[in-house]
Amino acid sequence: MADKYRFIGKVTPRKDAVDILTGRAKFLNDLKLPDMLYGKVLRSPYPHALIRKIDKEKAERLQGVCAVLTWKDVPDWKGGTPRCKRVLDQKVRFVGDAVALVAATSEEIADEALRLIDVQYEVLPHVFDMEEALKPGAPQLYEEFPGNVVTPGVPFFGPKSLKEVVMGDVDKGFTEADVITEGTYSYENIPNPLPPEAPGAIALWEEPNKVTLWVSNQASYMDKVTLFHVFNREVEVRSIGGPCGGSYGSKFMSWQVQSHAVLLSRATRKPVKVCMTKEEHLAAFTLRPGSRMAAKVGMKKDGTVTAVSGRWVIDTGYYSMTTQSQVAVGCGEVQIMVRCVNWNLKPTIVCTNRNASGIVRGFGGQELKCILIPLLSLAMEKLDIDPFEFLKKNYVKPGDGYIWRDGIWYTYRGVDYSEAMDQGAERFGWKENWKGWLKPSSVNGTKRRGVGVGVHGNADIGEDASEAYVRLHPDGSAIIFSCVTEHGTGQRTNFVKMVAEVLQVPIEKVSLSPADSLFTPYEFGPAGSRGTYAIGSAIISAAEDARRKLFELVAPRLEAAPEDLDTEDGAIFVKSNPQRKLPWKVMGIDRTCTGYGRFEPDYTLSNCMMSFVEVEVDTETGQVALVRVVNATNIGQVIDPQGLEGQLNGCLGSAGIDSALFEETVIDQGTGHTLNANMLDYKWRTFAELPQIDNVVLETPFASHRFHAVGVGEIATSPGPSAILMAASNAVGVWLHEYPVTPERVLKVLGKTAPWAKKGGAA
Amino acid sequence: MRPFTHFNARTVKGACALLAKYDGRAVLNAGGTDLLSTLKGENLFEYPEAVINIKAITGLDDIVERKGTLRIGALTKLSALVNTPLLNERYPALAEAARTVATPQIRNAATLGGNLCQDVRCWYYRYPRHIGGPILCARKGKGPCLAVKGDNRYHALMGAKKCFAVCPSDTAVALAALDGQISIVGKEGERRIAVTDFYHPLENSLKRGEMVTGVEMPSVEKESRQAFLKFTLRKPVDFAIVSVATVITAKGGVCVDARIALGAVAAGPVRATKAEKILVGRPVDETAAADAAEAALAGAKPLSMNAYKIEIAKTLVKRAILESL
Amino acid sequence: MVNGRIHELEVGDQPGQVKPWDTLAHTLRETLSLTGTKVSCDHGACGACTVLLDGQAVLSCMTLAVECDGQRVTTVEGLSDPQTGRLDPLQQAFIDYTAFQCGFCTPGILMSAKALLHENPSPTEEEVKEALSGNFCRCISHYQVVKAIMAASGKEG
């Protein structure tokens, strides 16, 4: 497949490789501006309280302190969906909530100043459990949310934004079923996506109402858009995005650290840098949503799902920014996985007194799959249906449809993923290892192995809009103007590859502008695997437009029509007579040639990744070890083989597979403190325990753009967690339904230890 | 970090003198891999005024076996413990314990003395000030232990009073099984205390002005077999959820001497003396190992969330004993 | 000495001076403007701040700068040739294998790898993984990192 292209599909070094490997790449905390101050945040010790009095006088008098801000000193800037969370509020709603801001000439002085701020709280009753929060009489977090039910706000996806999956007739569906199963399932260990680089921002305020922000984000243009609204449309925001040390969704539409920096710069008229510590990152930035579902499914002997009904409760923590969107996409994605005609799935979003949930790879779909697949598995077990066959049969096929996040019905026009799934199963040895439900694939003394399979897919690969300019120069070079930052996917180089391919110039001749919203057009950002298709389309389109303009300019000189021309290595030639050629320079050395491209959202394509896992359980200690993983997908056309492999291997990162094994945010259920807000107690996978990973990648051209490619990175984390539960259950012969599958839980189902007397920590 | 005065001590005497002068308001810095974390986190009830660097003190990093005793200096790096042939051949439990500590970078700097004296890892005790802390507790001198009513999944199973944190040191467990003693120097000269007596629920045995200078233990019998097993959620990085060190001597398949130490179940390593007695005189087999495991954990008093540690500890005791076969 | 150059720094609290409580990481980044070394957790638990101290991989966030007097520090900036800019074979291997994604953890990984190859020029894959076991990477560059290090050591992974 790669042979027909010069650059696409070939291994090429990333353009930022040397900078990264020599330490020259400047991440946010590496930047220093002249006269820069450092900002710090005073955080609440209570999960729910009113601030009765704040005395900041001593802090203000400390030498080196330039500003101390409390809720009384800041404008009514609010974030969230709906916009209910004031940037500094008189009420605090979780342990770690922002109480005051300090800017000083050094971090140490700012820290010292925090100590000198005297706060008197009136402690209020708190609520941590999502169902307790829904009960009448529960402590109310916001006046705007009676019963702590988070309202839709202005829906991101339009007036018909998907809020639930309701269609057909579930009662009829249940009568058609051969088996009905029901139960309550949860995925509420609220793991942390945990990018290595903690969130931060540098703000430089300019009178009367302008601010320039240096941000660390995967989608820095959206910083500008989001903050514009947070600031009540009163401030002109310019965002400059540099190399981003990981985001995995979490920094997308983040606004608080940026707002803190902006407020402090506005108060001091100096640049202010605010960087979270790793503890703040873990205790006060973004977690996965928590989910609990009481549901019922009906299934036929042949694996057809005849009805799904249920109540999905989503805990968003102290507020929601994108949880409604995650629910919408989750509802869409579940229809892609299971082609059922009768649904009555009703989500309710609740707020509770803990750190907030937000965007993470998987975006609601991972959450829903993690609780629905175990319920489907119960039915599959009763009917003795192989889960691989079930998932393959039920995955969306060309011609099928689904109601997507905007409430509109789309007909799927992508490829049939069955072949990729079959090849994955073969590489894994699924047939040899699947021995039936709740049966190990092998037993070796006290060690038992089990296998599991999961799937995920997202029709957001063509979500939202992107724009780009491509400018050609007389010297045969080109530059792309697009607001994309590099956050690990290598996409900045991939876009260069795409343009180099369109223009047939060496990659060295193409560059990509800084991600500065001042001079780049609209860019939603690389998210939801849309980089390859959506951003790629805009950039390719801009390159094609520039090329077309160039040919129109030069055609008369070559006495040919523009359609008769082509270009290679900076020389334009007549296709039927390549000897007739002219260099780009003939456009004029006092001229450049700029093309514009735009991508309009397209929800008719979905990607897919199926993950097969094998675990080994030590039945005497309860330890579950991940032995091997096979990921299978079809992405149309590989743009960069090594970049793709990195994305698929990412199934182990961003609170993906390991959220089923050892990742969780532990919150004390009495006091609300996040107990494991550090890199020792929050568990992450080390080099020493790498499972074997095999990635099976097919390339069947997609009707996407010139290169027939689609993206896949975002979904890599999502098929794994439910597959792990399945595999561990099969290994020990008893259902394991709680995430993560800790040694304690395994010993519990094996009857070797008593259940916890009472919950001291997270559920 | 908050400010402090820094000193470089050149001798043990000099270090002790400074400690005495500051009367509890100074701390010693060896590898720094735990100290700097407690300073940054402000975990100690009172932030110290002075930090005394002891890395320049010579003569405290030897490993010498002579006249029936093995002596190891307190400044010996963990990486040295891992790589020294003498330890790998004759004291593998200790070498293995050192090898399982933390990460390669930490082992390159961390010392045996530091590993023994490191502060506890209880997540209430260590809760950072700047995210709504600090959390005060019995160990800090104010209030009850929050783990008792809270999340105690990693906390003590035995012997806890007032503070329920466990001793995080892996080398202490191996040393306990090896009948190790800790050498301490202070104003009153030098003294030795058994590893198993060094730890108490609220603090260790160091008095004001004292520092650990080394450890010593009797030379092992040639026929003895050692094991060190550490249960963690991940490898490496993690502190032990439970660990076990054993030194078993068998003649003709029958146990003549057994030393079993449990780690991460109490304020210090615990010698499972009942289990040891059960093993002596019996052939070393699955049944004997299982009986010993039961006896080793018989005194366990689980809290609301840590009973699972009992089962894992029993498994480790059993496996460690059988490794001696 | 940092990356082959001697720096004479005074202890004090004026700009350009080193405070007794400054970590080596802070001094490298803020006082010497060598921002290649990253601080991620600042508590010795993630390896992002790994530098070489007299050839040994250590955590610069857990080392006091004042205690490095007379010692040789090597940071990621010190891997390439100071005159020619030629990259260390390890760096080149990372480029060839795209052994990084966001790149934030990469300097720490490079330094751990450098320390390993110094001591053990021909490691096995297990030894590579063991040497890097203190380095946190969330994008999951691990597999490509192992391949790159094996290639740099002369053995294809």
Side-chain angles (χ1 to χ4, degrees):
Chain A
M1 270 290 253
D3 287 333
K4 65 181 194 231
Y5 295 116
R6 190 170 163 183
F7 309 111
I8 301 294
K10 306 253 189 321
V11 172
T12 48
R14 263 173 60 172
K15 290 199 106 177
D16 53 350
V18 175
D19 279 346
I20 287 186
L21 292 164
T22 55
R24 281 203 286 272
K26 294 253 180 256
F27 293 82
L28 190 95
N29 204 7
D30 301 330
L31 298 175
K32 240 197 274 221
L33 271 63
D35 251 2
M36 191 173 77
L37 301 176
Y38 297 85
K40 289 276 171 196
V41 183
L42 180 66
R43 297 187 177 276
S44 164
Y46 299 110
H48 204 195
L50 286 171
I51 296 173
R52 277 289 168 231
K53 195 160 163 241
I54 303 190
D55 188 348
K56 55 177 187 162
E57 207 216 337
K58 273 192 292 205
E60 283 176 315
R61 280 192 279 122
L62 184 66
Q63 175 151 68
V65 171
C66 302
V68 180
L69 303 174
T70 72
W71 68 274
K72 293 188 184 153
D73 307 313
V74 301
D76 222 23
W77 290 355
K78 291 182 182 166
T81 305
R83 291 180 50 231
C84 60
K85 171 73 185 116
R86 200 171 187 272
V87 63
L88 285 180
D89 205 342
Q90 194 188 6
K91 200 185 201 200
V92 289
R93 295 178 177 87
F94 75 104
V95 174
D97 203 349
V99 169
L101 307 174
V102 169
T105 51
S106 78
E107 280 188 71
E108 278 156 24
I109 295 176
D111 253 327
E112 206 53 52
L114 292 181
R115 265 171 246 278
L116 298 173
I117 302 174
D118 211 343
V119 188
Q120 276 172 39
Y121 296 96
E122 180 191 318
V123 178
L124 302 169
H126 57 259
V127 60
F128 297 138
D129 182 86
M130 57 180 104
E131 283 175 308
E132 289 298 317
L134 287 170
K135 290 190 178 149
Q140 301 291 291
L141 271 74
Y142 297 89
E143 274 168 29
E144 298 97 311
F145 302 148
N148 292 318
V149 175
V150 178
T151 54
V154 175
F156 283 9
F157 307 137
K160 287 163 55 172
S161 270
L162 198 57
K163 293 196 199 69
E164 56 192 15
V165 189
V166 174
M167 63 172 97
D169 180 348
V170 286
D171 290 327
K172 176 161 168 293
F174 284 122
T175 60
E176 291 165 3
D178 291 317
V179 132
I180 297 177
T181 53
E182 61 186 308
T184 304
Y185 296 88
S186 66
Y187 181 53
E188 49 186 299
N189 45 328
I190 43 175
N192 196 310
L194 197 51
E197 184 200 24
I202 300 176
L204 178 55
W205 183 264
E206 257 179 72
E207 286 303 311
N209 64 344
K210 264 163 107 152
V211 71
T212 300
L213 270 164
W214 287 262
V215 297
S216 160
N217 202 336
Q218 66 190 92
S220 56
Y221 196 94
M222 291 310 284
D223 271 289
K224 169 189 150 94
V225 172
T226 307
L227 292 169
F228 178 67
H229 290 287
V230 170
F231 303 159
N232 292 328
R233 307 184 187 165
E234 289 163 356
V235 180
E236 199 182 304
V237 178
R238 172 184 176 189
S239 69
I240 303 175
C244 173
S247 170
Y248 323 120
S250 65
K251 294 175 181 171
F252 192 107
M253 294 187 102
S254 63
W255 59 278
Q256 283 154 312
V257 68
Q258 297 91 326
S259 302
H260 296 163
V262 171
L263 285 169
L264 289 172
S265 184
R266 178 174 171 270
T268 58
R269 305 289 192 267
K270 292 200 166 147
V272 178
K273 181 197 279 190
V274 180
C275 278
M276 285 181 139
T277 63
K278 189 53 72 183
E279 292 80 35
E280 287 178 293
H281 185 183
L282 284 160
F285 196 61
T286 307
L287 301 172
R288 272 206 186 275
S291 275
R292 215 179 277 171
M293 185 168 75
K296 196 161 106 172
V297 301
M299 196 181 289
K300 282 211 212 22
K301 281 200 265 276
D302 68 355
T304 306
V305 178
T306 59
V308 178
S309 87
R311 186 167 165 264
W312 178 23
V313 181
I314 303 103
D315 178 0
T316 183
Y318 74 94
Y319 89 115
S320 163
M321 188 64 178
T322 54
T323 309
Q324 295 90 334
S325 308
Q326 289 166 276
V327 168
V329 171
C331 287
E333 288 172 336
V334 78
Q335 300 164 62
I336 289 176
M337 175 186 87
V338 173
R339 298 178 300 150
C340 171
V341 297
N342 304 309
W343 292 85
N344 190 24
L345 179 61
K346 298 233 160 117
T348 303
I349 301 175
V350 188
C351 58
T352 59
N353 291 118
R354 63 151 171 88
N355 183 22
S357 298
I359 305 181
V360 191
R361 259 162 121 169
F363 203 70
Q366 174 168 329
E367 284 70 21
L368 185 50
K369 294 217 167 48
C370 284
I371 51 184
L372 183 59
I373 290 187
L375 177 57
L376 292 169
S377 297
L378 273 190
M380 285 188 245
E381 188 239 343
K382 289 197 158 59
L383 295 169
D384 200 21
I385 297 175
D386 178 329
F388 162 68
E389 297 296 339
F390 173 86
L391 293 176
K392 185 170 76 163
K393 173 201 164 79
N394 276 291
Y395 203 81
V396 75
K397 306 280 186 293
D400 288 340
Y402 40 84
I403 302 178
W404 194 237
R405 67 189 207 184
D406 50 4
I408 296 173
W409 179 268
Y410 290 95
T411 301
Y412 175 68
R413 60 185 186 94
V415 308
D416 182 339
Y417 286 103
S418 303
E419 198 199 333
M421 294 179 179
D422 281 334
Q423 288 208 24
E426 201 185 301
R427 180 80 67 87
F428 183 77
W430 178 262
K431 288 207 177 23
E432 298 76 44
N433 282 287
W434 173 254
K435 302 289 198 294
W437 285 98
L438 301 181
K439 295 204 177 59
S441 54
S442 66
V443 178
N444 181 7
T446 56
K447 303 253 169 78
R448 296 166 74 102
R449 289 199 175 188
V451 296
V453 62
V455 79
H456 189 55
N458 191 347
D460 267 348
I461 56 176
E463 66 168 332
D464 296 290
S466 286
E467 297 182 318
Y469 312 129
V470 169
R471 189 178 72 196
L472 310 181
H473 311 121
D475 67 356
S477 69
I479 181 169
I480 309 166
F481 289 90
S482 168
C483 204
V484 279
T485 54
E486 185 52 70
H487 63 111
T489 56
Q491 289 284 47
R492 274 183 67 89
T493 300
N494 288 344
F495 297 137
V496 164
K497 275 168 90 155
M498 291 179 193
V499 170
E501 192 73 48
V502 170
L503 300 174
Q504 286 297 300
V505 293
I507 290 181
E508 300 71 51
K509 288 287 204 180
V510 183
S511 59
L512 178 51
S513 71
D516 187 337
S517 69
L518 186 67
F519 50 75
T520 55
Y522 181 86
E523 178 47 66
F524 182 76
S529 296
R530 69 185 292 275
T532 301
Y533 176 34
I535 305 181
S537 294
I539 288 176
I540 290 166
S541 182
E544 288 171 343
D545 188 36
R547 189 171 171 269
R548 194 171 25 248
K549 288 192 166 116
L550 178 64
F551 288 175
E552 276 162 18
L553 256 179
V554 176
R557 298 275 301 261
L558 283 168
E559 293 171 357
E563 317 78 80
D564 301 332
L565 301 179
D566 203 340
T567 175
E568 188 173 333
D569 289 329
I572 304 152
F573 60 93
V574 179
K575 282 191 269 206
S576 54
N577 184 2
Q579 306 304 336
R580 269 181 32 222
K581 64 180 177 183
L582 288 171
W584 284 17
K585 200 163 99 171
V586 302
M587 72 167 85
I589 56 169
D590 61 351
R591 188 198 290 272
T592 58
C593 203
T594 301
Y596 167 76
R598 181 179 164 83
F599 172 84
E600 292 292 346
D602 169 16
Y603 302 108
T604 61
L605 295 176
S606 170
N607 56 10
C608 172
M609 189 169 107
M610 179 171 268
S611 292
F612 301 85
V613 305
E614 182 179 21
V615 304
E616 181 172 89
V617 181
D618 181 334
T619 54
E620 285 186 328
T621 61
Q623 185 131 59
V624 180
L626 177 56
V627 178
R628 61 193 183 101
V629 179
V630 169
N631 296 315
T633 185
N634 186 332
I635 42 92
Q637 166 68 53
V638 176
I639 307 292
D640 187 276
Q642 290 178 343
L644 173 64
E645 180 155 345
Q647 289 304 293
L648 296 175
N649 290 344
C651 63
L652 291 181
S654 331
I657 277 187
D658 289 337
S659 64
L661 286 165
F662 43 67
E663 287 195 38
E664 56 180 322
T665 296
V666 179
I667 300 183
D668 183 292
Q669 292 298 292
T671 63
H673 291 95
T674 299
L675 298 177
N676 64 343
N678 65 73
M679 294 293 281
L680 280 172
D681 295 321
Y682 190 91
K683 308 295 179 189
W684 42 271
R685 189 169 286 273
T686 73
F687 267 92
E689 296 187 292
L690 295 175
Q692 184 187 321
I693 297 187
D694 266 303
N695 296 313
V696 174
V697 176
L698 271 64
E699 293 176 280
T700 309
F702 267 79
S704 57
H705 57 43
R706 183 189 187 100
F707 304 121
H708 310 292
V710 294
V712 75
E714 185 250 339
I715 58 170
T717 58
S718 307
S722 60
I724 296 279
L725 277 201
M726 191 188 290
S729 305
N730 291 333
V732 301
V734 187
W735 288 113
L736 282 155
H737 282 144
E738 290 177 277
Y739 294 90
V741 188
T742 56
E744 187 269 333
R745 287 182 169 134
V746 173
L747 291 175
K748 193 170 70 181
V749 303
L750 291 176
K752 296 189 174 176
T753 192
W756 283 344
K758 129 193 102 99
K759 276 190 227 146
Chain B
M1 262 180 284
R2 300 186 78 193
F4 51 74
T5 312
H6 184 267
F7 295 98
N8 289 307
R10 305 249 166 252
T11 61
V12 171
K13 212 164 137 196
C16 291
L18 277 168
L19 281 175
K21 174 172 161 208
Y22 275 89
D23 194 31
R25 295 182 320 276
V27 291
L28 299 179
N29 190 26
T33 53
D34 184 47
L35 179 70
L36 265 64
S37 190
T38 58
L39 292 180
K40 289 179 190 184
E42 294 178 59
N43 301 127
L44 306 170
F45 189 55
E46 257 171 25
Y47 193 80
E49 285 175 30
V51 169
I52 306 162
N53 174 24
I54 54 174
K55 289 188 276 295
I57 301 176
T58 54
L60 283 187
D61 57 359
D62 292 324
I63 304 175
V64 178
E65 186 169 28
R66 204 171 51 191
K67 294 192 189 156
T69 306
L70 171 70
R71 281 192 183 81
I72 307 178
L75 286 180
T76 308
K77 296 217 174 109
L78 294 182
S79 52
L81 292 181
V82 172
N83 292 321
T84 302
L86 168 64
L87 295 182
N88 280 292
E89 280 156 27
R90 292 175 40 71
Y91 300 86
L94 183 56
E96 176 67 13
R99 199 186 61 74
T100 66
V101 174
T103 62
Q105 293 96 319
I106 288 186
R107 295 195 292 275
N108 282 338
T111 63
L112 177 60
N115 188 262
L116 292 170
C117 296
Q118 70 182 293
D119 212 344
V120 296
R121 308 301 317 186
C122 169
W123 45 25
Y124 294 97
Y125 176 72
R126 294 245 177 191
Y127 191 83
R129 159 189 280 276
H130 66 287
I131 48 169
I135 294 180
L136 296 177
C137 70
R139 196 177 188 83
K140 290 185 181 163
K142 267 206 176 120
C145 167
L146 278 99
V148 173
K149 285 217 179 96
D151 194 315
N152 47 53
R153 67 181 77 181
Y154 297 135
H155 288 70
L157 281 177
M158 356 179 130
K161 237 194 297 211
K162 295 216 178 116
C163 174
F164 288 75
V166 298
C167 176
S169 169
D170 295 309
T171 55
V173 183
L175 288 171
L178 290 164
D179 286 326
Q181 301 218 306
I182 299 182
S183 302
I184 299 171
V185 169
K187 238 177 5 179
E188 283 136 40
E190 183 170 339
R191 62 187 178 103
R192 268 184 218 100
I193 182 169
V195 168
T196 43
D197 293 332
F198 182 69
Y199 298 96
H200 308 287
L202 288 171
E203 65 212 337
N204 63 32
S205 300
L206 288 175
K207 301 209 256 283
R208 290 250 166 102
E210 287 188 321
M211 70 178 271
V212 171
T213 53
V215 302
E216 50 184 69
M217 66 214 83
S219 293
V220 288
E221 300 289 312
K222 238 196 337 231
E223 301 89 357
S224 75
R225 297 296 248 281
Q226 300 169 30
F228 177 81
L229 297 177
K230 176 176 171 178
F231 185 82
T232 51
L233 284 184
R234 306 173 291 162
K235 286 181 178 48
V237 185
D238 280 350
F239 286 90
I241 290 180
V242 174
S243 64
V244 170
T246 53
V247 181
I248 313 267
T249 313
K251 292 212 162 100
V254 175
C255 176
V256 302
D257 186 63
R259 289 178 272 166
I260 302 171
L262 303 174
V265 298
V270 174
R271 281 282 291 270
T273 45
K274 285 206 188 75
E276 294 170 358
K277 289 201 181 75
I278 284 183
L279 264 186
V280 173
R282 282 176 69 169
V284 180
D285 60 19
E286 292 254 359
T287 322
D291 287 347
E294 282 297 321
L297 276 300
K301 286 203 184 65
L303 299 166
S304 59
M305 288 171 70
N306 66 359
Y308 73 101
K309 287 173 62 153
I310 296 175
E311 188 62 32
I312 298 175
K314 285 186 193 168
T315 301
L316 292 192
V317 170
K318 215 171 50 179
R319 290 182 181 173
I321 292 171
L322 292 175
E323 260 193 37
S324 68
L325 284 174
Chain C
M1 179 181 284
V2 180
N3 298 334
R5 247 184 82 200
I6 296 196
H7 295 265
E8 292 212 8
L9 297 166
E10 286 173 3
V11 176
D13 55 12
Q14 296 307 306
Q17 294 184 323
V18 174
K19 304 192 203 75
W21 53 90
D22 283 344
T23 61
L24 177 60
H26 179 93
T27 302
L28 288 169
R29 289 174 52 80
E30 308 293 329
T31 314
L32 298 178
S33 298
L34 293 167
T35 56
T37 305
K38 304 300 174 206
V39 172
S40 178
C41 78
D42 205 30
H43 275 260
C46 74
C49 68
T50 304
V51 298
L52 301 188
L53 191 60
D54 288 336
Q56 296 273 298
V58 298
L59 303 166
S60 58
C61 78
M62 299 300 268
T63 307
L64 291 177
V66 292
E67 294 182 359
C68 295
D69 201 18
Q71 293 187 281
R72 264 179 16 233
V73 178
T74 313
T75 69
V76 65
E77 291 96 338
L79 288 179
S80 47
D81 187 303
Q83 316 292 62
T84 64
R86 193 157 151 267
L87 297 176
D88 185 296
L90 204 49
Q91 290 167 307
Q92 189 57 53
F94 272 56
I95 294 180
D96 297 339
Y97 284 83
T98 312
F100 60 96
Q101 291 185 40
C102 78
F104 197 75
C105 69
T106 308
I109 286 181
L110 275 171
M111 300 321 289
S112 290
K114 186 74 179 161
L116 169 70
L117 292 184
H118 211 359
E119 198 186 294
N120 182 358
S122 230
T124 62
E125 257 191 44
E126 282 312 304
E127 287 169 332
V128 170
K129 292 176 185 176
E130 168 80 49
L132 296 179
S133 58
N135 287 84
F136 168 67
C137 168
R138 196 56 160 167
C139 298
I140 314 297
S141 64
H142 306 65
Y143 296 87
Q144 287 148 312
V145 164
V146 173
K147 279 197 199 131
I149 295 173
M150 294 300 286
S153 72
K155 295 167 161 180
E156 293 299 322

